[in-house]
Every structure is written in structure tokens, then in C-alpha cells.
Amino acid sequence: MQDDLLKVLLTEEEIQQRVAELGQEISRDYKGKDLVAICILKGAMHFMADLTRHIPIPLTIDFMAISSYGVGTKTSGVVRILQDLDASISHRHVLIVEDIVDTGLTLNYLIDNLESRRPASIKIATLLDKPARRAVNVTTDYNGFTIPDEFVVGYGLDYNELYRNLPYIGVLKPEVYK
Ligand code: PRP
Ligand code: 7HP
């Protein structure tokens, strides 16, 4: 798999260090609040697992599976809910946990969808932010790393469902997807 990468963008150590910092920040902000962390599958699976282990306050965990990219490196722009939450978020403080904000279309859709369920608040934690590709205005509250406009894989992020199991994040060689 390493041969398919142009370079490593974020090492395992850099990711783990930053995720721990985000966990501490989130723990301070949500102390005494009824928190539900929502993992957006599949990409955020590793981030969610590591992040929540750095949040030593009471919280519940739920999952949503969303798809907007299908096969390839360009968003289809059509967001589909493949799996919905198990529990109500009404009057609860929601933290959306995402792997990457790219065009912002997925989050834009998600925020609208979750707001209609009347939570006490909604905030966004994303490991990666790729602002160069933003198509709609979304603001994140906890941002691990701002990255350039390159297609990245690893630590949950995929190309055609592959590379999610890499413990670091790398830039995929364009010839792999062209
Ligand atoms: C990816 C990623 C984000 C979204 C970001 O999901 O996990 O949810 O795209 O892109 P956007 O800001 O341009 O909308 P994808 O649809 O590839 O599903 P996956 O998490 O299962 O890989
Ligand atoms: C989605 C996505 N998935 C993997 N790598 C990227 O760079 C991506 N941007 N948006």
C-alpha cells in the first residue's frame, strides 16, 4: 500500500498527539453537559475511537453512516444516510465526529438533518480540514489539521474502500485514481 503513496502527510505520532489535545479541549468544554458523540462512518472510525479515549467525562456514542463520494475522488454532491442514529438527540449536546471536511456538502446536510431533531447544541470535530475545496460555508469547532488540496488516505480515509487501515495519513499518487 505504501507504494501507492506520494508521501506521508501526517505520521502516526503527529496524529495521536493532536487527537489527545483535541480530547482535552473537548473534555474541558463539555464538563457537566449531556454529551453524545456521533461518529460519521466509515471514515471517522479511527478518529472516533482514539478521540473518545481522550475524553474522560461521561458521554454516549452513536453512529451514522453517510455516503457522498461513491467510487472515486470527487463528491457526488448527493448525500445519502445509509444508517441512522440509534437514540434520540433531543435536548442533548451533539458532537459530530468527522474525518475530513472537503467541499462541506456532507456536513452541511448533516447539520440541517440533525438540527431538525432539536438537540441542545451541535458542534463539529474534524481531524482534517481541506478549506481550498469548500463549496458551502461550514465552520468546524475542533480541527486537527488543515491540509492542502491533495487526495489523502489512511487513518480511516479511503480510496475505493482501500487504505483505511493505514495508521498514518498519506497523499495518494494521482496515477492510482486517474
Ligand atoms: C467522506 C468523508 C466525509 C466526506 C467529506 O465520506 O468521510 O464524510 O466525504 O467530504 P465533503 O466535505 O466533500 O462532503 P465518504 O462519502 O467518502 O464516505 P466514507 O466516510 O464511508 O469514506
Ligand atoms: C473525501 C475524501 N476521502 C478521502 N480522501 C480525501 O482527500 C477526501 N476528501 N473528501
Side-chain angles (χ1 to χ4, degrees), residues 69 100 102 130 150-152 157-158:
Y69 273 68
I100 188 164
D102 188 303
K130 211 195 268 188
E150 293 175 303
F151 197 82
V152 293
L157 291 127
D158 75 309

Side-chain angles (χ1 to χ4, degrees), residues 3-46:
D3 291 347
D4 293 345
L5 299 182
L6 210 53
K7 62 176 177 195
V8 172
L9 189 66
L10 297 165
T11 65
E12 188 172 357
E13 291 71 29
E14 286 169 327
I15 295 169
Q16 292 303 329
Q17 166 70 33
R18 185 69 188 121
V19 171
E21 287 168 7
L22 290 177
Q24 284 159 17
E25 207 183 320
I26 290 166
S27 308
R28 281 196 299 272
D29 294 352
Y30 283 95
K31 196 159 182 242
K33 293 187 174 164
D34 181 16
L35 173 62
V36 51
I38 299 179
C39 173
I40 308 304
L41 296 168
K42 302 172 190 165
M45 60 181 189
H46 294 312

Side-chain angles (χ1 to χ4, degrees), residues 12-175:
E12 188 172 357
E13 291 71 29
E14 286 169 327
I15 295 169
Q16 292 303 329
Q17 166 70 33
R18 185 69 188 121
V19 171
E21 287 168 7
L22 290 177
Q24 284 159 17
E25 207 183 320
I26 290 166
S27 308
R28 281 196 299 272
D29 294 352
Y30 283 95
K31 196 159 182 242
K33 293 187 174 164
D34 181 16
L35 173 62
V36 51
I38 299 179
C39 173
I40 308 304
L41 296 168
K42 302 172 190 165
M45 60 181 189
H46 294 312
F47 180 39
M48 178 77 164
D50 289 339
L51 181 68
T52 51
R53 282 180 289 180
H54 287 288
I55 307 179
I57 59 169
L59 59 78
T60 64
I61 287 173
D62 212 334
F63 298 90
M64 259 180 119
I66 299 284
S67 180
S68 56
Y69 273 68
V71 175
T73 61
K74 296 266 184 306
T75 179
S76 66
V78 180
V79 181
R80 286 188 306 138
I81 295 185
L82 306 177
Q83 180 192 317
D84 209 340
L85 300 174
D86 276 346
S88 166
I89 55 168
S90 172
H91 305 297
R92 306 195 62 201
H93 293 277
V94 168
L95 181 66
I96 299 175
V97 180
E98 258 290 21
D99 54 345
I100 188 164
V101 186
D102 188 303
T103 62
L105 291 168
T106 306
L107 262 186
N108 202 42
Y109 169 87
L110 261 179
I111 292 167
D112 267 7
N113 182 290
L114 295 179
E115 256 168 7
S116 70
R117 307 181 197 198
R118 306 262 177 256
S121 70
I122 301 184
K123 282 192 181 182
I124 295 146
T126 186
L127 180 70
L128 306 177
D129 186 10
K130 211 195 268 188
R133 295 220 340 132
R134 204 69 100 249
V136 286
N137 190 22
V138 284
T139 347
T140 59
D141 301 281
Y142 305 97
N143 178 20
F145 303 92
T146 300
I147 62 163
D149 186 8
E150 293 175 303
F151 197 82
V152 293
V153 293
Y155 196 68
L157 291 127
D158 75 309
Y159 170 66
N160 280 354
E161 296 297 327
L162 291 171
Y163 310 100
R164 293 192 199 274
N165 52 323
L166 293 173
Y168 51 85
I169 289 173
V171 176
L172 197 60
K173 282 182 182 162
E175 55 261 40

